[in-house]
Amino acid sequence: DAGVTQSPTHLIKTRGQQVTLRCSPKSGHDTVSWYQQALGQGPQFIFQYYEEEERQRGNFPDRFSGHQFPNYSSELNVNALLLGDSALYLCASSFSGGARMTQYFGPGTRLLVL
Amino acid sequence: AQSVAQPEDQVNVAEGNPLTVKCTYSVSGNPYLFWYVQYPNRGLQFLLKYITGDNLVKGSYGFEAEFNKSQTSFHLKKPSALVSDSALYFCAVRDGGSNSGYALNFGKGTSLLVTP
């Protein structure tokens, strides 16, 4: 049973560019959340997608956007990259059938903005 | 607002000794509490959670955590530490209220170093 997968594993971009990160949820999961983990910090919630819609959003600017596809996979897009966007981006999946859903994390995509 | 505090940046323990990693939380409703572990250059691995029921929760790899409502704490414990337990540990909380959302709020993490 495959867990949460993310691609790419590493990415280098320059300021002002745009980036797309991808996530496939764990089998049986229908909800995807994205987190940003800066160096030395805990993960910060960006947003969560369920039924192809953004269900909840954290305190991130509109440069951060996402999408969920019918097969439950998801993309995170970041426009107009800033140096401060350099971080590990984590995707987490969960099953909506029950309020006590545990989020399972992928290995992350490490983004470096130069 | 929800928040988590992990008061120790680093915990050092000798192999075979018991370990404790501390976590305190703040939520307005019922707390859903989680512990995750992160190895270098890896994502987060789920260890255990408290939703309701027994205050002592058992999880993966011999870890357990004790929920203390009066002290708003959820400390992670293990009776006998292994060198392979050395990693970064994160406590997270979510408000269990029906309208409180789904985001996990994480602490800043505690680095556990187990020495042989």
Side-chain angles (χ1 to χ4, degrees):
Chain A
D1 176 25
V4 180
T5 60
Q6 293 186 242
S7 63
T9 56
H10 294 82
L11 207 50
I12 300 175
K13 292 286 187 178
T14 57
R15 281 178 296 174
Q17 285 189 312
Q18 179 264 345
V19 67
T20 298
L21 311 181
R22 296 176 176 81
C23 172
S24 291
K26 186 177 168 68
S27 178
H29 287 184
D30 57 5
T31 302
V32 173
S33 305
W34 287 92
Y35 292 80
Q36 180 195 65
Q37 185 180 16
L39 200 61
Q41 303 295 319
Q44 298 290 318
F45 176 75
I46 302 175
F47 42 54
Q48 184 180 88
Y49 276 83
Y50 172 64
E51 292 189 336
E52 301 181 47
E53 292 192 357
E54 183 182 290
R55 178 155 72 170
Q56 185 183 357
R57 187 178 185 91
N59 188 25
F60 278 80
D62 291 345
R63 299 186 297 108
F64 289 77
S65 63
H67 189 77
Q68 186 180 34
F69 299 94
N71 67 353
Y72 308 121
S73 66
S74 176
E75 288 182 351
L76 164 65
N77 300 292
V78 187
N79 294 322
L81 285 166
L82 303 174
L83 296 180
D85 295 331
S86 295
L88 181 66
Y89 288 85
L90 296 164
C91 169
S93 74
S94 53
F95 175 57
S96 62
R100 304 164 180 188
M101 44 194 177
T102 299
Q103 296 184 21
Y104 292 89
F105 285 79
T109 294
R110 187 164 297 281
L111 172 64
L112 177 60
V113 182
L114 301 176
Chain B
Q2 311 159 41
S3 65
V4 166
Q6 294 182 241
E8 301 154 319
D9 289 337
Q10 182 162 320
V11 170
N12 298 316
V13 65
E15 187 174 32
N17 284 357
L19 69 86
T20 298
V21 182
K22 296 180 180 177
C23 171
T24 59
Y25 67 89
S26 173
V27 294
S28 55
N30 293 323
Y32 290 176
L33 293 156
F34 302 81
W35 275 101
Y36 288 86
V37 60
Q38 186 175 37
Y39 294 97
N41 300 314
R42 303 285 295 275
L44 276 66
Q45 294 181 28
F46 170 71
L47 282 178
L48 51 79
K49 67 181 178 184
Y50 171 83
I51 303 299
T52 187
D54 289 342
N55 289 342
L56 186 63
V57 178
K58 293 189 183 297
S60 305
Y61 313 118
F63 284 94
E64 58 189 29
E66 186 169 10
F67 172 67
N68 188 315
K69 186 174 183 179
S70 63
Q71 297 185 7
T72 62
S73 67
F74 189 57
H75 300 332
L76 181 70
K77 300 181 180 184
K78 187 174 183 181
S80 179
L82 299 173
V83 172
S84 58
D85 292 331
S86 299
L88 193 55
Y89 290 80
F90 288 97
C91 180
V93 67
R94 180 166 82 83
D95 190 328
S98 59
N99 296 318
S100 57
Y102 308 92
L104 288 176
N105 289 273
F106 285 86
K108 61 180 174 58
T110 298
S111 178
L112 173 66
L113 179 61
V114 182
T115 53

